[in-house]
Amino acid sequence: PRGLRFVLGDRMLSTTYDVLDALIEARYCPARGPLLQRANLSLERLRFQVRLSTDERLMSVDQYAYVAGIIDDVGRLVGGWTKALSE
């Protein structure tokens, strides 16, 4: 369905920009913890949106694997940054 594809694609793009905004703010703000948590939450939301788009067959399995790998890489970086702050 065209409407579902548009809405889900728009939400995924919006969520991606939310992650980017939180990470840019965290880079320049002394209170990084809450911003990194917000970025992590947005990444989790993006993971579910990508899974939903695959379930609705708006994305192929190969495309899903590629995007999921990128999301996992960013998640590892955010997790490492969060861990470094707590040490």
Side-chain angles (χ1 to χ4, degrees):
R2 184 175 284 184
L4 178 64
R5 184 175 59 203
F6 174 77
V7 170
L8 194 54
D10 187 50
R11 289 213 179 170
M12 288 169 56
L13 186 61
S14 176
T15 305
T16 302
Y17 281 125
D18 290 343
V19 172
L20 181 62
D21 289 342
L23 292 176
I24 289 172
E25 282 184 60
R27 170 66 180 93
Y28 294 101
C29 182
R32 293 183 170 114
L35 293 169
L36 292 174
Q37 287 177 347
R38 190 173 80 195
N40 204 22
L41 178 64
S42 294
L43 280 172
E44 191 63 28
R45 189 177 301 128
L46 186 59
R47 283 184 185 101
F48 279 102
Q49 291 168 349
V50 169
R51 282 187 215 140
L52 180 61
S53 67
T54 304
D55 291 345
E56 293 296 326
R57 298 184 183 194
L58 303 174
M59 183 182 291
S60 72
V61 174
D62 291 336
Q63 290 170 326
Y64 171 76
Y66 179 75
V67 173
I70 291 173
I71 293 171
D72 285 342
D73 288 344
V74 173
R76 276 192 216 102
L77 291 171
V78 171
W81 196 2
T82 303
K83 187 176 179 180
L85 287 176
S86 65
E87 292 177 348

